[in-house]
């Protein structure tokens, strides 16, 4: 299966992962959690699955993108 998510959701997911987990993802690394959250909201998962997400980007590669997103939110 595949899911498309908005760019704003990808960046917000990257920030959320960095704030709530001990993993720093980059801007494109937010695509996997954004997709998983979108699928979960649509009821795709039964609730007992193990979901594995791949971090395709280190946070150090795109700090300006994440910083710009946070500044746009007043953070």
């Amino acid at each position: 299966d595949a899911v498309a998510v908005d760019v704003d959701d990808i960046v917000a997911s990257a920030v959320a992962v960095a704030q709530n987990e001990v993993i720093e993802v980059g801007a494109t690394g937010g695509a996997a959690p954004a997709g998983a959250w979108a699928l979960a909201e649509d009821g795709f998962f039964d609730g007992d699955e193990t979901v594995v997400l791949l971090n395709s980007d280190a946070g150090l590669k795109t700090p300006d993108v994440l910083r710009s997103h946070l500044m746009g939110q007043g953070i």
Side-chain angles (χ1 to χ4, degrees), residues 1-67:
D1 291 305
V3 62
V5 290
D6 188 65
V7 172
D8 290 336
D9 292 337
I10 292 172
V11 176
S13 293
V15 171
V17 168
Q19 289 175 334
N20 296 297
E21 302 297 331
V22 189
I23 301 169
E24 186 174 351
V25 299
T28 59
W37 283 323
L39 289 171
E41 289 174 353
D42 289 343
F44 183 81
F45 303 114
D46 291 330
D48 61 349
E49 296 94 345
T50 298
V51 179
V52 177
L53 305 177
L54 298 177
N55 179 13
S56 60
D57 185 16
L60 297 175
K61 289 184 176 181
T62 54
D64 53 329
V65 174
L66 300 178
R67 189 173 19 254

